[in-house]
Amino acid sequence: MADKPDTATRETVHKTDEEWQRHLTPRQYAVCREAETERPFTGAYWKTTDEGVYHCVACGAELFRSDTKFDAGCGWPSFWDAIGHDVVRLRDDYSLGMHRTEVLCGRCDSHLGHLFDDGPRPTGQRYCINSAALDLKRAAADR
């Protein structure tokens, strides 16, 4: 696997609600800043198989590599691992009358999705992420 990004010197991103609203589309804002969930099978990346790196749409932080993406059949992009341990932050989520693990961007605290323990090897984890929270930077064709 490629080198992990140097996140030790990475600055966190803080913006006002008004700044986030100017920077993000209404759908991106609803997902990233208000923790909404897009409907399954509707997002731009749920079935994408292109190679590249998925970045946070809000701050540009590298989050997931395409070689960890898999088809979980759930209708959202799913990954079995994040690029690094601190590129995402996990938080308990007790909404909807259940306990889940929310996944947030480690740089700007944008809501990305949820983490489940039903993924494939080698981690057994499934990062179930909203397409609206992601920006895929596709790999160069000549690589």
Side-chain angles (χ1 to χ4, degrees), residues 19-34 57-58 131-133:
E19 290 171 319
W20 285 122
Q21 287 173 337
R22 284 194 302 270
H23 175 73
L24 301 169
T25 68
R27 185 76 202 124
Q28 291 167 338
Y29 182 84
V31 168
C32 295
R33 307 314 303 173
E34 297 176 330
V57 74
S131 288

Side-chain angles (χ1 to χ4, degrees), residues 94-131:
Y94 292 97
S95 65
L96 304 178
M98 66 180 96
H99 176 245
R100 297 178 294 171
T101 301
E102 182 181 13
V103 180
L104 302 153
C105 175
R107 186 169 179 222
C108 71
D109 269 346
S110 284
H111 170 80
L112 303 173
H114 289 88
L115 177 64
F116 301 98
D117 290 326
D118 60 1
R121 292 179 185 215
T123 65
Q125 296 183 316
R126 174 173 54 103
Y127 288 85
C128 184
I129 307 298
N130 290 284
S131 288

Side-chain angles (χ1 to χ4, degrees), residues 2-37:
D3 292 335
K4 300 211 183 250
D6 178 12
T7 56
T9 59
R10 183 181 58 189
E11 293 183 27
T12 57
V13 174
H14 301 282
K15 294 183 180 185
T16 66
D17 284 340
E18 292 77 24
E19 290 171 319
W20 285 122
Q21 287 173 337
R22 284 194 302 270
H23 175 73
L24 301 169
T25 68
R27 185 76 202 124
Q28 291 167 338
Y29 182 84
V31 168
C32 295
R33 307 314 303 173
E34 297 176 330
E36 288 191 13
T37 300

